[in-house]
Amino acid sequence: MKELNKYSKRLTQDETQPAAQAMLYAVGLTDEDMKKPQVGIASTGYDGNPCNMHLNKLAAQIKEKVNLNGQVGLIFNTIGVSDGISMGTPGMRYSLPSRDIIADSIEVVMNAQSYDALVTVVGCDKNMPGAIMAMLRLNRPSLMVYGGTIASGKYKGRKLNIVSAFEALGQKIAGQITETEYKEIIKASIPGAGACGGMYTANTMASSIEAMGFALPYNSSLPAENPHKDNESERISLAIKNLLELDLKPLDIISKKSIENAITLVNALGGSTNAVLHYLAIAHAAGIDFTLEDFQRVSDRTPLLADLKPSGEYLMEDVHSVGGTPAVMKYLLEKGLLHGDCLTVTGKTLAENLEHVKAITFE
Protein backbone atom coordinates (compact mmCIF):
# COMPACT_ATOMS: atom_id res chain seq x y z
CA MET A 1 0.00 0.00 0.00
CA LYS A 2 1.33 3.40 -0.99
CA GLU A 3 2.39 5.83 1.72
CA LEU A 4 0.02 8.80 1.31
CA ASN A 5 1.70 11.09 3.87
CA LYS A 6 5.27 10.72 2.68
CA TYR A 7 5.95 14.47 2.92
CA SER A 8 3.87 15.50 5.93
CA LYS A 9 5.15 12.59 8.03
CA ARG A 10 8.47 14.45 8.29
CA LEU A 11 6.64 16.74 10.69
CA THR A 12 3.78 14.67 12.08
CA GLN A 13 5.52 11.32 12.73
CA ASP A 14 9.07 12.34 13.67
CA GLU A 15 9.64 12.60 17.42
CA THR A 16 12.46 15.08 16.81
CA GLN A 17 9.83 17.57 15.56
CA PRO A 18 7.87 18.32 18.76
CA ALA A 19 7.51 22.04 18.03
CA ALA A 20 6.04 21.37 14.60
CA GLN A 21 3.58 18.89 16.10
CA ALA A 22 2.63 21.34 18.85
CA MET A 23 1.84 23.97 16.22
CA LEU A 24 -0.26 21.51 14.21
CA TYR A 25 -2.25 20.57 17.29
CA ALA A 26 -2.72 24.31 17.86
CA VAL A 27 -4.42 24.73 14.47
CA GLY A 28 -6.89 21.97 15.37
CA LEU A 29 -5.37 18.69 14.20
CA THR A 30 -6.16 15.58 16.26
CA ASP A 31 -4.04 12.48 16.90
CA GLU A 32 -5.90 10.79 14.06
CA ASP A 33 -5.31 13.77 11.74
CA MET A 34 -1.57 13.54 12.33
CA LYS A 35 -1.54 10.21 10.48
CA LYS A 36 -3.45 11.51 7.44
CA PRO A 37 -2.05 13.03 4.24
CA GLN A 38 -2.13 16.82 4.16
CA VAL A 39 -3.57 18.60 1.13
CA GLY A 40 -2.52 22.19 0.53
CA ILE A 41 -5.43 24.17 -0.95
CA ALA A 42 -3.98 27.24 -2.64
CA SER A 43 -6.59 29.95 -3.19
CA THR A 44 -6.08 33.04 -5.33
CA GLY A 45 -9.20 34.52 -3.76
CA TYR A 46 -9.31 38.21 -2.92
CA ASP A 47 -12.05 40.81 -2.68
CA GLY A 48 -10.99 43.26 -5.37
CA ASN A 49 -11.69 41.29 -8.55
CA PRO A 50 -14.89 39.52 -9.67
CA CYS A 51 -12.76 36.72 -11.16
CA ASN A 52 -11.42 35.91 -7.69
CA MET A 53 -13.92 37.22 -5.15
CA HIS A 54 -15.71 33.85 -4.70
CA LEU A 55 -12.65 31.60 -4.62
CA ASN A 56 -12.07 31.59 -0.86
CA LYS A 57 -15.61 30.27 -0.40
CA LEU A 58 -14.92 27.57 -3.00
CA ALA A 59 -11.64 26.69 -1.26
CA ALA A 60 -13.49 26.33 2.07
CA GLN A 61 -16.03 23.97 0.44
CA ILE A 62 -13.20 21.87 -0.99
CA LYS A 63 -11.47 21.75 2.41
CA GLU A 64 -14.66 20.48 4.05
CA LYS A 65 -15.01 17.64 1.53
CA VAL A 66 -11.29 16.81 1.63
CA ASN A 67 -11.52 16.42 5.41
CA LEU A 68 -14.60 14.21 5.14
CA ASN A 69 -12.73 11.96 2.69
CA GLY A 70 -9.90 11.11 5.07
CA GLN A 71 -7.32 13.79 4.34
CA VAL A 72 -6.43 17.06 6.07
CA GLY A 73 -7.16 20.13 3.94
CA LEU A 74 -5.14 23.24 4.75
CA ILE A 75 -5.94 26.48 2.93
CA PHE A 76 -3.34 29.09 2.05
CA ASN A 77 -3.51 32.12 -0.21
CA THR A 78 -1.51 33.72 -2.96
CA ILE A 79 -1.80 36.89 -5.02
CA GLY A 80 -3.57 37.95 -8.18
CA VAL A 81 -3.68 40.87 -10.60
CA SER A 82 -6.85 41.84 -12.47
CA ASP A 83 -5.99 42.75 -16.04
CA GLY A 84 -9.49 44.16 -16.46
CA ILE A 85 -8.89 46.64 -13.65
CA SER A 86 -5.21 47.43 -14.25
CA MET A 87 -5.45 47.74 -18.07
CA GLY A 88 -4.41 51.16 -19.31
CA THR A 89 -2.57 52.02 -16.08
CA PRO A 90 0.96 51.39 -14.74
CA GLY A 91 -0.61 48.53 -12.78
CA MET A 92 -0.55 46.40 -15.94
CA ARG A 93 3.24 46.18 -15.60
CA TYR A 94 2.63 43.76 -12.74
CA SER A 95 0.35 41.35 -14.60
CA LEU A 96 2.80 38.95 -16.24
CA PRO A 97 5.26 39.02 -13.29
CA SER A 98 2.37 37.97 -11.03
CA ARG A 99 2.32 34.59 -12.78
CA ASP A 100 5.79 33.78 -11.50
CA ILE A 101 5.07 35.16 -8.03
CA ILE A 102 2.03 32.86 -7.86
CA ALA A 103 4.13 29.87 -8.92
CA ASP A 104 6.92 30.75 -6.49
CA SER A 105 4.59 31.36 -3.53
CA ILE A 106 2.73 28.07 -4.00
CA GLU A 107 6.04 26.23 -4.25
CA VAL A 108 7.30 27.97 -1.09
CA VAL A 109 4.31 27.04 1.06
CA MET A 110 4.04 23.46 -0.21
CA ASN A 111 7.72 22.75 0.41
CA ALA A 112 8.00 24.68 3.68
CA GLN A 113 4.88 23.04 5.18
CA SER A 114 5.58 19.56 3.73
CA TYR A 115 2.12 19.08 2.22
CA ASP A 116 1.50 15.82 0.38
CA ALA A 117 -0.82 17.06 -2.38
CA LEU A 118 -2.00 20.30 -3.94
CA VAL A 119 -5.34 21.71 -5.08
CA THR A 120 -5.17 25.17 -6.67
CA VAL A 121 -8.32 27.30 -6.74
CA VAL A 122 -7.86 29.90 -9.46
CA GLY A 123 -9.87 32.39 -11.44
CA CYS A 124 -7.96 35.00 -13.47
CA ASP A 125 -5.48 35.23 -16.32
CA LYS A 126 -2.12 34.55 -14.65
CA ASN A 127 -3.49 32.42 -11.79
CA MET A 128 -3.79 29.33 -13.94
CA PRO A 129 -0.38 29.12 -15.62
CA GLY A 130 1.22 30.12 -12.32
CA ALA A 131 -0.58 27.26 -10.58
CA ILE A 132 0.42 24.72 -13.24
CA MET A 133 4.05 25.84 -13.15
CA ALA A 134 4.10 25.32 -9.38
CA MET A 135 2.56 21.85 -9.74
CA LEU A 136 5.22 20.81 -12.24
CA ARG A 137 8.07 22.05 -10.07
CA LEU A 138 6.69 20.33 -6.97
CA ASN A 139 5.62 17.12 -8.75
CA ARG A 140 3.21 15.99 -6.03
CA PRO A 141 -0.35 14.79 -6.68
CA SER A 142 -2.14 17.95 -7.86
CA LEU A 143 -5.13 19.30 -9.70
CA MET A 144 -6.38 22.71 -10.75
CA VAL A 145 -9.85 24.04 -9.99
CA TYR A 146 -11.14 26.96 -12.07
CA GLY A 147 -13.63 29.28 -10.38
CA GLY A 148 -15.64 29.58 -13.58
CA THR A 149 -16.74 32.13 -16.13
CA ILE A 150 -18.95 35.10 -15.34
CA ALA A 151 -22.61 35.33 -16.33
CA SER A 152 -23.60 37.78 -19.03
CA GLY A 153 -25.06 41.14 -18.05
CA LYS A 154 -28.31 42.55 -19.38
CA TYR A 155 -29.41 46.06 -20.37
CA LYS A 156 -32.61 46.87 -22.28
CA GLY A 157 -32.82 43.28 -23.55
CA ARG A 158 -29.22 43.34 -24.75
CA LYS A 159 -26.62 40.79 -23.60
CA LEU A 160 -23.54 42.45 -22.10
CA ASN A 161 -20.00 41.46 -21.14
CA ILE A 162 -16.83 43.33 -20.21
CA VAL A 163 -16.29 44.47 -23.82
CA SER A 164 -19.65 46.24 -23.61
CA ALA A 165 -18.13 48.68 -21.11
CA PHE A 166 -15.34 49.60 -23.56
CA GLU A 167 -17.81 49.91 -26.42
CA ALA A 168 -20.09 52.12 -24.33
CA LEU A 169 -17.34 54.72 -23.98
CA GLY A 170 -16.99 54.92 -27.77
CA GLN A 171 -20.77 55.13 -28.15
CA LYS A 172 -20.95 57.98 -25.64
CA ILE A 173 -18.14 59.91 -27.37
CA ALA A 174 -19.88 59.40 -30.70
CA GLY A 175 -23.11 60.72 -29.24
CA GLN A 176 -24.97 57.44 -29.75
CA ILE A 177 -25.90 57.05 -26.09
CA THR A 178 -26.42 59.46 -23.19
CA GLU A 179 -24.28 59.78 -20.07
CA THR A 180 -27.00 57.99 -18.09
CA GLU A 181 -27.13 55.09 -20.54
CA TYR A 182 -23.33 54.91 -20.48
CA LYS A 183 -23.32 54.56 -16.69
CA GLU A 184 -26.12 51.98 -16.72
CA ILE A 185 -24.26 49.81 -19.25
CA ILE A 186 -21.10 49.90 -17.12
CA LYS A 187 -23.05 48.93 -14.02
CA ALA A 188 -24.80 46.06 -15.82
CA SER A 189 -21.88 44.65 -17.84
CA ILE A 190 -20.56 42.35 -15.10
CA PRO A 191 -23.35 41.06 -12.82
CA GLY A 192 -21.29 39.10 -10.28
CA ALA A 193 -18.50 36.60 -9.66
CA GLY A 194 -16.51 34.87 -12.36
CA ALA A 195 -13.83 35.46 -14.96
CA CYS A 196 -14.40 37.59 -18.07
CA GLY A 197 -17.02 35.80 -20.13
CA GLY A 198 -15.47 35.57 -23.59
CA MET A 199 -12.47 33.60 -24.80
CA TYR A 200 -10.08 35.93 -23.01
CA THR A 201 -7.00 34.56 -21.28
CA ALA A 202 -8.82 33.12 -18.24
CA ASN A 203 -11.26 30.96 -20.21
CA THR A 204 -8.55 30.17 -22.77
CA MET A 205 -6.19 28.83 -20.12
CA ALA A 206 -8.90 27.06 -18.13
CA SER A 207 -10.31 25.16 -21.12
CA SER A 208 -6.90 24.29 -22.55
CA ILE A 209 -5.62 23.11 -19.15
CA GLU A 210 -8.63 20.81 -18.96
CA ALA A 211 -7.64 19.50 -22.40
CA MET A 212 -4.08 19.06 -21.13
CA GLY A 213 -5.43 16.85 -18.36
CA PHE A 214 -4.88 18.97 -15.24
CA ALA A 215 -8.52 19.82 -14.43
CA LEU A 216 -11.58 17.63 -14.04
CA PRO A 217 -13.99 17.29 -16.98
CA TYR A 218 -16.44 20.21 -17.28
CA ASN A 219 -14.56 22.32 -14.70
CA SER A 220 -13.47 24.93 -17.25
CA SER A 221 -16.88 25.60 -18.80
CA LEU A 222 -19.16 25.44 -15.75
CA PRO A 223 -20.04 29.09 -14.93
CA ALA A 224 -19.04 30.54 -11.56
CA GLU A 225 -22.58 31.14 -10.35
CA ASN A 226 -24.16 28.03 -11.84
CA PRO A 227 -25.93 26.05 -9.06
CA HIS A 228 -23.88 22.96 -9.97
CA LYS A 229 -20.58 24.74 -9.20
CA ASP A 230 -20.98 24.09 -5.49
CA ASN A 231 -21.23 20.36 -6.19
CA GLU A 232 -17.74 20.28 -7.69
CA SER A 233 -16.07 20.17 -4.28
CA GLU A 234 -17.10 16.53 -3.76
CA ARG A 235 -15.63 15.51 -7.14
CA ILE A 236 -12.46 17.43 -6.37
CA SER A 237 -11.95 15.80 -2.96
CA LEU A 238 -12.41 12.31 -4.42
CA ALA A 239 -10.06 13.14 -7.31
CA ILE A 240 -7.22 14.34 -5.09
CA LYS A 241 -7.63 11.27 -2.88
CA ASN A 242 -7.41 9.09 -5.98
CA LEU A 243 -4.30 10.91 -7.17
CA LEU A 244 -2.65 10.33 -3.79
CA GLU A 245 -3.55 6.64 -3.82
CA LEU A 246 -2.26 6.24 -7.38
CA ASP A 247 0.75 8.46 -6.64
CA LEU A 248 -0.07 10.09 -9.99
CA LYS A 249 1.92 13.29 -10.32
CA PRO A 250 2.00 16.23 -12.77
CA LEU A 251 5.14 15.01 -14.56
CA ASP A 252 3.35 11.69 -15.13
CA ILE A 253 0.53 13.56 -16.87
CA ILE A 254 2.21 16.29 -18.90
CA SER A 255 3.92 15.45 -22.17
CA LYS A 256 4.51 17.09 -25.52
CA LYS A 257 1.32 15.40 -26.74
CA SER A 258 -0.76 16.74 -23.84
CA ILE A 259 0.53 20.27 -24.50
CA GLU A 260 -0.45 19.78 -28.15
CA ASN A 261 -3.95 18.89 -26.92
CA ALA A 262 -4.06 22.17 -25.00
CA ILE A 263 -2.93 24.21 -28.00
CA THR A 264 -5.42 22.42 -30.25
CA LEU A 265 -8.25 23.55 -27.98
CA VAL A 266 -6.87 27.12 -27.89
CA ASN A 267 -7.00 27.22 -31.69
CA ALA A 268 -10.40 25.52 -31.99
CA LEU A 269 -12.03 28.02 -29.62
CA GLY A 270 -10.17 31.07 -30.95
CA GLY A 271 -8.39 31.61 -27.66
CA SER A 272 -6.07 34.34 -26.44
CA THR A 273 -2.59 34.64 -27.93
CA ASN A 274 -1.38 34.97 -24.32
CA ALA A 275 -1.55 31.16 -24.33
CA VAL A 276 1.74 31.23 -26.26
CA LEU A 277 3.50 33.03 -23.40
CA HIS A 278 2.05 30.71 -20.81
CA TYR A 279 2.53 27.36 -22.52
CA LEU A 280 6.15 28.16 -23.33
CA ALA A 281 6.64 28.76 -19.59
CA ILE A 282 4.68 25.62 -18.66
CA ALA A 283 6.74 23.50 -21.08
CA HIS A 284 9.94 24.98 -19.64
CA ALA A 285 8.83 24.13 -16.10
CA ALA A 286 8.21 20.54 -17.22
CA GLY A 287 11.49 20.27 -19.13
CA ILE A 288 9.62 19.66 -22.41
CA ASP A 289 10.88 21.01 -25.74
CA PHE A 290 7.94 22.99 -27.10
CA THR A 291 8.60 25.90 -29.45
CA LEU A 292 6.81 28.51 -31.56
CA GLU A 293 7.16 26.11 -34.50
CA ASP A 294 5.08 23.59 -32.54
CA PHE A 295 2.37 26.20 -32.00
CA GLN A 296 2.30 26.88 -35.73
CA ARG A 297 2.21 23.18 -36.62
CA VAL A 298 -0.79 22.58 -34.35
CA SER A 299 -2.50 25.76 -35.56
CA ASP A 300 -2.12 24.75 -39.22
CA ARG A 301 -4.08 21.53 -38.70
CA THR A 302 -6.78 22.84 -36.32
CA PRO A 303 -10.09 24.34 -37.52
CA LEU A 304 -11.64 27.36 -35.82
CA LEU A 305 -14.93 26.08 -34.43
CA ALA A 306 -16.15 28.94 -32.24
CA ASP A 307 -17.43 32.47 -32.67
CA LEU A 308 -16.57 33.74 -29.19
CA LYS A 309 -15.91 37.16 -27.73
CA PRO A 310 -13.93 39.39 -27.97
CA SER A 311 -14.03 39.15 -31.77
CA GLY A 312 -17.15 37.01 -32.06
CA GLU A 313 -20.67 36.86 -30.71
CA TYR A 314 -20.81 34.23 -27.95
CA LEU A 315 -19.54 33.68 -24.40
CA MET A 316 -18.22 30.75 -22.39
CA GLU A 317 -21.66 30.33 -20.80
CA ASP A 318 -22.91 29.54 -24.31
CA VAL A 319 -20.24 26.83 -24.68
CA HIS A 320 -21.54 25.35 -21.42
CA SER A 321 -25.09 25.35 -22.77
CA VAL A 322 -24.12 23.17 -25.76
CA GLY A 323 -22.19 20.54 -23.80
CA GLY A 324 -19.21 22.39 -22.38
CA THR A 325 -15.51 21.90 -23.03
CA PRO A 326 -15.80 18.07 -23.12
CA ALA A 327 -18.26 18.26 -26.04
CA VAL A 328 -15.77 20.35 -28.01
CA MET A 329 -12.95 17.97 -27.08
CA LYS A 330 -15.01 14.94 -28.14
CA TYR A 331 -15.55 16.51 -31.57
CA LEU A 332 -11.81 17.15 -31.92
CA LEU A 333 -11.00 13.63 -30.74
CA GLU A 334 -13.38 12.09 -33.28
CA LYS A 335 -11.69 14.14 -36.01
CA GLY A 336 -8.29 12.79 -34.98
CA LEU A 337 -7.07 16.16 -33.70
CA LEU A 338 -6.46 15.20 -30.03
CA HIS A 339 -4.20 12.56 -28.52
CA GLY A 340 -6.71 10.40 -26.66
CA ASP A 341 -4.06 8.30 -24.90
CA CYS A 342 -2.82 11.16 -22.68
CA LEU A 343 -3.30 10.65 -18.93
CA THR A 344 -5.39 13.10 -16.90
CA VAL A 345 -6.03 13.95 -13.23
CA THR A 346 -8.94 11.51 -13.19
CA GLY A 347 -6.40 8.70 -13.45
CA LYS A 348 -7.90 7.85 -16.84
CA THR A 349 -6.90 8.87 -20.33
CA LEU A 350 -8.50 11.75 -22.19
CA ALA A 351 -10.34 9.29 -24.44
CA GLU A 352 -11.68 7.38 -21.42
CA ASN A 353 -12.92 10.64 -19.85
CA LEU A 354 -14.78 11.45 -23.07
CA GLU A 355 -16.13 7.95 -23.73
CA HIS A 356 -19.74 8.79 -22.82
CA VAL A 357 -19.66 12.46 -23.88
CA LYS A 358 -21.71 13.55 -26.89
CA ALA A 359 -19.69 15.61 -29.36
CA ILE A 360 -20.77 19.14 -30.18
CA THR A 361 -22.73 19.44 -33.44
CA PHE A 362 -22.97 22.29 -35.92
CA GLU A 363 -26.48 21.74 -37.26
Side-chain angles (χ1 to χ4, degrees):
M1 186 174 179
K2 288 188 173 69
E3 197 172 39
L4 306 187
N5 64 339
K6 62 183 177 183
Y7 293 98
S8 61
K9 73 172 186 177
R10 298 169 182 167
L11 304 178
T12 60
Q13 303 301 306
D14 187 342
E15 67 176 12
T16 69
Q17 294 292 329
Q21 291 161 21
M23 297 185 90
L24 290 170
Y25 283 124
V27 300
L29 270 63
T30 65
D31 286 343
E32 191 62 32
D33 290 335
M34 297 292 256
K35 302 170 188 174
K36 297 175 182 177
Q38 295 182 3
V39 178
I41 303 171
S43 173
T44 57
Y46 64 101
D47 289 346
N49 184 16
C51 307
N52 300 72
M53 69 188 208
H54 60 305
L55 299 184
N56 288 336
K57 176 187 172 185
L58 183 55
Q61 291 170 342
I62 294 167
K63 175 182 175 177
E64 179 184 1
K65 296 298 184 181
V66 162
N67 290 347
L68 288 172
N69 277 311
Q71 306 134 74
V72 176
L74 296 159
I75 297 172
F76 63 96
N77 287 84
T78 184
I79 67 159
V81 168
S82 169
D83 286 12
I85 291 173
S86 62
M87 191 76 67
T89 76
M92 196 61 192
R93 297 171 187 166
Y94 298 91
S95 179
L96 186 56
S98 75
R99 181 193 71 190
D100 297 86
I101 295 171
I102 291 164
D104 292 347
S105 62
I106 293 173
E107 185 180 6
V108 164
V109 174
M110 288 291 296
N111 277 326
Q113 302 297 115
S114 297
Y115 294 151
D116 300 295
L118 171 64
V119 176
T120 60
V121 186
V122 292
C124 199
D125 291 13
K126 312 306 177 292
N127 300 177
M128 283 156 281
I132 298 298
M133 289 161 64
M135 290 178 189
L136 293 166
R137 294 180 198 167
L138 289 159
N139 202 34
R140 300 177 196 185
S142 305
L143 66 86
M144 190 194 82
V145 179
Y146 179 46
T149 188
I150 209 161
S152 56
K154 299 286 189 297
Y155 179 69
K156 291 186 175 179
R158 190 173 132 224
K159 202 171 182 178
L160 303 178
N161 73 103
I162 191 170
V163 169
S164 306
F166 290 111
E167 292 171 343
L169 177 60
Q171 290 166 338
K172 185 185 81 162
I173 292 169
Q176 296 172 0
I177 59 174
T178 66
E179 179 71 25
T180 299
E181 289 174 315
Y182 167 66
K183 287 288 186 184
E184 290 302 316
I185 290 170
I186 292 173
K187 289 176 183 177
S189 289
I190 300 175
C196 298
M199 196 47 56
Y200 307 101
T201 308
N203 282 323
T204 297
M205 293 306 298
S207 56
S208 60
I209 286 168
E210 182 178 320
M212 190 170 65
F214 280 74
L216 294 178
Y218 297 99
N219 174 250
S220 67
S221 51
L222 188 61
E225 296 190 322
N226 185 289
H228 295 294
K229 196 70 180 176
D230 288 343
N231 299 332
E232 279 199 311
S233 55
E234 177 69 21
R235 285 204 307 148
I236 292 156
S237 68
L238 292 172
I240 199 67
K241 182 180 181 181
N242 186 49
L243 288 168
L244 276 162
E245 290 173 347
L246 294 172
D247 195 28
L248 183 59
K249 301 178 290 294
L251 292 179
D252 301 323
I253 293 171
I254 198 168
S255 64
K256 188 161 186 171
K257 290 200 300 183
S258 70
I259 298 176
E260 286 184 6
N261 284 347
I263 303 309
T264 298
L265 198 75
V266 170
N267 281 277
L269 293 180
S272 168
T273 53
N274 281 341
V276 177
L277 289 172
H278 298 321
Y279 278 105
L280 289 173
I282 287 167
H284 178 75
I288 293 170
D289 181 26
F290 202 88
T291 68
L292 290 174
E293 287 71 26
D294 292 307
F295 281 94
Q296 190 61 55
R297 174 174 52 81
V298 174
S299 176
D300 288 343
R301 73 179 188 217
T302 307
L304 175 63
L305 303 179
D307 183 30
L308 297 169
K309 299 284 185 181
S311 58
E313 181 179 350
Y314 298 101
L315 300 169
M316 196 62 170
E317 66 178 10
D318 299 310
V319 175
H320 170 67
S321 71
V322 295
T325 307
V328 178
M329 290 164 57
K330 183 63 175 280
Y331 176 88
L332 294 168
L333 182 67
E334 289 179 347
K335 298 297 182 183
L337 295 169
L338 292 179
H339 303 289
D341 58 340
C342 290
L343 267 178
T344 75
V345 290
T346 65
K348 300 177 181 179
T349 65
L350 186 73
E352 288 172 329
N353 288 345
L354 298 174
E355 185 178 356
H356 302 294
V357 172
K358 184 178 178 182
I360 193 171
T361 60
F362 297 92
E363 296 175 359

